[in-house]
Amino acid sequence: HKVGAKMGSSCGGVCACSTCHCYIRRGSEALSEQEDKESDRLDMAFDVRSESRLGCQSILEKGDAQVVVEISQESVNAFYDEHPEERRARDAKK
Ligand code: FES
């Protein structure tokens, strides 16, 4: 959210959905450990991979580290569902 990433967050970041599903491409060692609650919730996401995390549960613990994240299509779709004005602006550019 701080960098303006278009990531869904239907539950508001309380680990009750999977709309913040993302893939950690680099820097996963700088993030908090995955807890059982997150793992259980990820089981409900689409296209889960070994590098999958829930964005809202992945806390950056080393502030100077670089982390590269790919937002899942599921999460991008959720973001635009949550922000129809952003969808209209995106579609107007096409
Ligand atoms: Fe719902 Fe992350 S925003 S689990």
Side-chain angles (χ1 to χ4, degrees):
H1 290 279
K2 287 181 182 173
V3 297
K6 295 181 177 8
M7 175 179 273
S9 61
S10 294
C11 75
V14 296
C15 202
C17 67
S18 59
T19 59
C20 62
H21 178 204
C22 61
Y23 306 106
I24 309 302
R25 296 296 184 214
R26 191 172 350 133
S28 60
E29 65 280 355
L31 300 174
S32 58
E33 290 286 320
Q34 187 177 80
E35 296 184 7
D36 290 345
K37 184 177 177 183
E38 179 185 355
S39 178
D40 290 346
R41 186 57 59 186
L42 262 176
D43 285 344
M44 299 176 193
F46 296 104
D47 195 19
V48 176
R49 305 173 195 168
S50 60
E51 66 271 25
S52 288
R53 292 292 307 262
L54 293 178
C56 72
Q57 303 300 303
S58 304
I59 308 303
L60 183 62
E61 294 186 328
K62 298 175 183 168
D64 58 344
Q66 285 194 335
V67 179
V68 177
V69 176
E70 176 185 346
I71 301 172
S72 71
Q73 190 60 51
E74 170 187 20
S75 186
V76 172
N77 292 344
F79 174 84
Y80 284 116
D81 288 346
E82 295 164 6
H83 301 87
E85 71 288 348
E86 296 256 5
R87 181 188 301 275
R88 283 190 291 276
R90 180 198 66 182
D91 292 347
K93 293 178 184 173
K94 291 182 179 175

